Each structure stands twice: as structure tokens, then as C-alpha cells.
């Protein structure tokens, strides 16, 4: 079976959907010929699938990823896949036409309320009700044109009930092999722990407002004011200008290490070196309807997690058993960090978290399930034609 995975973005940085694309392509390649269509890719290891680089066009590059159907028609014509599997809303306008022309079953994976993501990326906010409703209707119409919609969490599925009629629920998963006991800790972070003698607390991800990174600066600032100097905070990812400005205004440069973006393959090593992993997400419409793979990666590595009480942390974490849950207040988050200073408690919770992920959230389970669904879709499309 030939399968095309389509994601018109870069695959060279470790962010949720990017990781998901690579992980799913890797395990599906055990069974099928897999082709990944994206702008770029970077990995330390040899990839078991075929990567096809999408062309960028200066100036209109951002528009092109929505309306590059002519370019995709040529690619799809050459490959003639049995299944097209797309990721996120950016894939829908361009890939719908090739899938219909060549009568190829089209599956789309959605990990959040699509219109919320569009409004966030292009700064179109819900206060503009007309724009929001038009976009929501347009996206829903495009989703209906696909043969199967894979929903990343139950709240998201509930949101589209009555609007879409070919949905399945498939929470995100990860390649647990990347987070096994053989992973070597990152040397630079190991040296940092030795140099400072402090507990290493790490955040990895983007710096969008709903991730709570600005809230975390308030936490770090209060720790410093109260002369609690047990921790050094590491941030992995590209910080926003707002984050950097606030960090400087609070004079937190000595408490924070900014590592920037790192390759997907290096994430596990950085997380392995950390002693506490933090999820300071805020309760917003975006976070209520999304199941980020970050939670699974944090838990899989077997280290202690401190998270605000937001979805899906409250679903995954049992307080004091496999992690610590904090109210969305500076004082309570600090309280949970102080509890996490206990090394034995950290190790016990970390082991419990890792065992949970290995049992329930391995990406190989997705590949097995998708194989069955793909065969059903192909059989159905042949009957129609």
C-alpha cells in the first residue's frame, strides 16, 4: 500500500504536529511505502520513508500552502497513492482537489479546533464574529469533503458532533522507543546541573500565550524574591519577543537558560537530563480542545511533571502518583515545585508516568488501527468507482 502523509510546513523543529508526522510515518513504513510531503526535514537518523520536498515561492509562500493544488496534482499523479493522510487545516484546500480527481481516500487528522488555530496564526480574533463564523463554516465544509476525520481527543470530537459524520477518536501517541532507558542525557545540561548545583526544571514547546510561559516568569520572579534558589529553569524553543522583554524587565537572566529550538531526535536527551518538567498551560478554548503530545513525551521520559490543572493533564496525571497538579496561581505552582524537591518522590512519580505511556500511548498502536481503517476506506472507494 502506498500512503502519502501531507503536512505543508517545516519538519525540522521539535513541535507537536511535526513530531507526530515523523513518528507516524516511521511506524507506518514498517508496513507500507510511505511518502512524506513537507517543506523541510531534519533528523539525526536515517528515515525509513520517502521525503518529498515541497517547493516554496517567494512572497506568496504562505498563501501557496493553502492553494498549491496544481503542484500537488503532479506529485500525486506520479505516486498514485492508495491513501492520502493530511495534518491540520492548512492541508485541506490544496489536497482536496487531487484526492477527488484521482479518487483517493482522504483522511485528515485534527488535533485542535481548526478555526481557533487559524485565528491565532493570522490574528483574527473571535471578537470579529462574522469572520470567525465564516471561517468555521468554511473549515467544516472542507472537513466534510474528506473520507475520514481523525479527532485527537474526546472534547474535540464532541465539538464537531452534528457537523461531521465520519469521525473516529484517536488520541495522540508517541514513538516510545525514543524515550527508553538507553537515551543518553544531554551533556550541556548535565554540566549545567554540576556547575549550579541546582534542580533542573525544563519547559519545551512554543511560546504562544496559552502555553503559560509568561505566567511561568511570574513564578520564577516570586521564587527569586522569596530567596528560593533551588531551581534553574531551562526553556527549549524559540521565545517570543514578549517573553524576552518580560524576562529582562524582571531581571531573571541568572535563573533562566534559553536553549532555542533543537532537532526532534535530541528532545529525549534534553528531557532526560531534566529533573522536573513543567506544563504551565492556561485554561483557554484552544487548550480545552487539544491533546498535545508534549504531555506524553514528558511522561515517557520518566521524570517528574508539574502541571497546571488543564486538559489533558487532569486526564493523564493522578496527583502525587505520576505527577503534580497545581492550580493556575503563582503560589500553588510554587508550592508544587517545592514538593518536587523530594528526589525519591520525583523518581517514583516519573516511573509511574513512563509505565502509563508505554502501555497506552505507543504510536505503533495507531499504525495497527490505521491499517484496518485504510483497508476499509480503499475497499469502499473501489465499490463506489
Amino acid at each position: 500500500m502506498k500512503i502519502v502523509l501531507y503536512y505543508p510546513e517545516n519538519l525540522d523543529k521539535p513541535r507537536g504536529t511535526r513530531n507526530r508526522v515523523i513518528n507516524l510515518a516511521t511506524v507506518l513504513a514498517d508496513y507500507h511505502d510511505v511518502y512524506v510531503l513537507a517543506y523541510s526535514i531534519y533528523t539525526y537518523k536515517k528515515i525509513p520513508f520517502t521525503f518529498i520536498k515541497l517547493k516554496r515561492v517567494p512572497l506568496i509562500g504562505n498563501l501557496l500552502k493553502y492553494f498549491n493544488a496544481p503542484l500537488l496534482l503532479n506529485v500525486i499523479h506520479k505516486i498514485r497513492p492508495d491513501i492520502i493522510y493530511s495534518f491540520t487545516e492548512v492541508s485541506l484546500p490544496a489536497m482536496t482537489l487531487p484526492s477527488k480527481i484521482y479518487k483517493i481516500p482522504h483522511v485528515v487528522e485534527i488535533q485542535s479546533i481548526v478555526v481557533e488555530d487559524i485565528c491565532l496564526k493570522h490574528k483574527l480574533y473571535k471578537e470579529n464574529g462574522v469572520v470567525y463564523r465564516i471561517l468555521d463554516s468554511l473549515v467544516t465544509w472542507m472537513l466534510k469533503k474528506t473520507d475520514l476525520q481523525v479527532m485527537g481527543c474526546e472534547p474535540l470530537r464532541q465539538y464537531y458532533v452534528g457537523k461531521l459524520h465520519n469521525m473516529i477518536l484517536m488520541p495522540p501517541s508517541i514513538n516510545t522507543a525514543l524515550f527508553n532507558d538507553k537515551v543518553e542525557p544531554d551533556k550541556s545540561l548535565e554540566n549545567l546541573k554540576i556547575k549550579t548545583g541546582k534542580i533542573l526544571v525544563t519547559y519545551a514547546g512554543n511560546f504562544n500565550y496559552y502555553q503559560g510561559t509568561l505566567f511561568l516568569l511570574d513564578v520564577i520572579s516570586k521564587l527569586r524574591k522569596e530567596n528560593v534558589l533551588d531551581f534553574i529553569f531551562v526553556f527549549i524553543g524559540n521565545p517570543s519577543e514578549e517573553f524576552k522583554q518580560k524576562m529582562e524587565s524582571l531581571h531573571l537572566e541568572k535563573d533562566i537558560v534559553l536553549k532555542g529550538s533543537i532537532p526532534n531526535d535530541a528532545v529525549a536527551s534534553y528531557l532526560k537530563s531534566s529533573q522536573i518538567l513543567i506544563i504551565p498551560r492556561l485554561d483557554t478554548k484552544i487548550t480545552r480542545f487539544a491533546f498535545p503530545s508534549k504531555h506524553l513525551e514528558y511522561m515517557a521520559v520518566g521524570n517528574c511533571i508539574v502541571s497546571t490543572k488543564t486538559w489533558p493533564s487532569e486526564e493523564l496525571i493522578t496527583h502525587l502518583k505520576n505527577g503534580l497538579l497545581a492550580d493556575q496561581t503563582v503560589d500553588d505552582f510554587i508550592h508544587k515545585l517545592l514538593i518536587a524537591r523530594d528526589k525519591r518522590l520525583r523518581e517514583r512519580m516519573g516511573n509511574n508516568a513512563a509505565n502509563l505511556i508505554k502501555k497506552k500511548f505507543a504510536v505503533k498502536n495507531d499504525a495497527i488501527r490505521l491499517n484496518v481503517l485504510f483497508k476499509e476506506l480503499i475497499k469502499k472507494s473501489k465499490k463506489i468507482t
Side-chain angles (χ1 to χ4, degrees):
M1 188 187 300
K2 292 182 180 179
I3 301 172
V4 162
L5 300 188
Y6 175 56
Y7 182 59
E9 298 283 357
N10 295 312
L11 286 172
D12 58 354
K13 296 176 183 177
R15 293 182 64 178
T17 306
R18 294 168 172 83
N19 295 352
R20 169 69 173 167
V21 175
I22 292 173
N23 290 340
L24 191 58
T26 300
V27 294
L28 285 173
D30 290 338
Y31 308 92
H32 310 292
D33 294 327
V34 176
Y35 301 81
V36 173
L37 279 57
Y39 287 140
S40 63
I41 192 168
Y42 180 77
T43 176
Y44 288 152
K45 302 173 184 176
K46 184 179 179 180
I47 54 177
F49 50 84
T50 301
F51 172 68
I52 298 177
K53 186 175 181 179
L54 296 174
K55 293 182 180 179
R56 284 189 181 274
V57 177
L59 300 179
I60 63 169
N62 286 332
L63 282 176
L64 188 66
K65 67 185 179 185
Y66 293 102
F67 304 106
N68 59 353
L71 296 177
L72 291 175
L73 276 169
N74 184 46
V75 175
I76 297 301
H77 177 75
K78 289 180 179 178
I79 299 173
R80 293 297 177 103
D82 300 289
I83 291 287
I84 296 172
Y85 196 102
S86 298
F87 295 85
T88 74
E89 89 288 344
V90 298
S91 64
L92 291 171
M95 191 54 88
T96 298
L97 182 61
S99 67
K100 294 301 179 186
I101 288 177
Y102 291 104
K103 298 179 181 179
I104 302 168
H106 187 190
V107 181
V108 62
E109 181 173 304
I110 303 296
Q111 294 292 345
S112 60
I113 295 178
V114 176
V115 69
E116 291 286 336
D117 283 346
I118 295 174
C119 289
L120 177 66
K121 288 176 184 175
H122 301 287
K123 298 182 180 179
L124 299 168
Y125 299 102
K126 193 174 179 180
E127 286 76 14
N128 191 341
V130 175
V131 172
Y132 188 92
R133 287 195 298 272
I134 290 173
L135 285 172
D136 196 29
S137 298
L138 180 60
V139 168
T140 302
W141 177 78
M142 287 189 291
L143 285 170
K144 286 180 180 178
K145 297 295 181 181
T146 62
D147 298 279
L148 183 68
Q149 304 93 37
V150 178
M151 296 295 162
C153 64
E154 178 59 22
L156 187 59
R157 191 191 71 82
Q158 288 293 335
Y159 177 84
Y160 283 108
V161 165
K163 301 177 183 179
L164 303 175
H165 305 287
N166 295 306
M167 294 186 290
I168 64 164
L169 178 64
M170 186 178 288
S173 54
I174 60 170
N175 185 356
T176 53
L178 295 176
F179 300 90
N180 59 33
D181 295 334
K182 296 180 182 179
V183 173
E184 291 291 330
D186 178 75
K187 291 182 180 179
S188 66
L189 294 189
E190 291 299 307
N191 291 335
L192 181 64
K193 284 191 288 188
I194 294 170
K195 181 180 178 180
T196 62
K198 295 182 178 182
I199 297 171
L200 204 64
V201 183
T202 297
Y203 168 83
N206 66 58
F207 287 72
N208 289 328
Y209 77 94
Y210 56 82
Q211 298 287 13
T213 50
L214 297 179
F215 160 77
L216 199 53
L217 290 179
D218 294 328
V219 170
I220 300 169
S221 178
K222 187 160 187 180
L223 283 169
R224 172 158 283 283
K225 287 177 182 177
E226 295 184 354
N227 205 35
V228 179
L229 306 176
D230 304 68
F231 310 104
I232 184 77
F233 291 83
V234 175
F235 288 81
I236 299 171
N238 290 322
S240 64
E241 286 303 315
E242 189 177 6
F243 179 90
K244 289 189 285 188
Q245 289 170 8
K246 184 171 181 177
M247 180 184 73
E248 291 171 4
S249 68
L250 293 172
H251 307 292
L252 299 177
E253 292 88 346
K254 292 182 179 180
D255 303 281
I256 292 174
V257 176
L258 300 176
K259 298 298 289 188
S261 290
I262 58 174
N264 180 45
D265 306 69
V267 171
S269 293
Y270 277 77
L271 298 183
K272 190 80 172 179
S273 293
S274 305
Q275 290 149 297
I276 301 173
L277 301 169
I278 46 176
I279 303 173
R281 284 161 69 89
L282 307 179
D283 183 29
T284 69
K285 193 170 183 180
I286 289 178
T287 56
R288 273 179 243 137
F289 291 90
F291 194 140
S293 59
K294 176 194 306 183
H295 293 65
L296 307 181
E297 292 170 351
Y298 275 18
M299 296 178 80
V301 82
N303 285 343
C304 173
I305 295 173
V306 177
S307 173
T308 49
K309 294 177 181 176
T310 50
W311 167 268
S313 292
E314 290 182 293
E315 181 79 10
L316 293 168
I317 298 173
T318 302
H319 187 60
L320 289 172
K321 181 179 179 181
N322 59 4
L324 295 166
L325 291 170
D327 294 333
Q328 293 178 55
T329 65
V330 169
D331 288 341
D332 198 49
F333 204 91
I334 288 175
H335 176 60
K336 298 309 189 298
L337 283 174
L338 296 180
I339 291 175
R341 289 183 298 186
D342 185 325
K343 184 179 179 181
R344 288 185 179 180
L345 177 62
R346 290 201 307 267
E347 291 175 350
R348 177 169 59 80
M349 292 190 297
N351 288 334
N352 290 339
N355 290 333
L356 174 68
I357 302 307
K358 289 173 184 176
K359 288 178 182 177
K360 294 188 175 182
F361 294 96
V363 72
K364 283 197 172 184
N365 298 336
D366 287 359
I368 294 169
R369 186 179 178 192
L370 285 172
N371 282 335
V372 175
L373 292 169
F374 291 164
K375 289 176 183 178
E376 291 176 356
L377 286 172
I378 292 170
K379 187 177 180 181
K380 183 179 177 181
S381 69
K382 287 180 178 179
K383 282 184 178 180
I384 293 172
T385 54

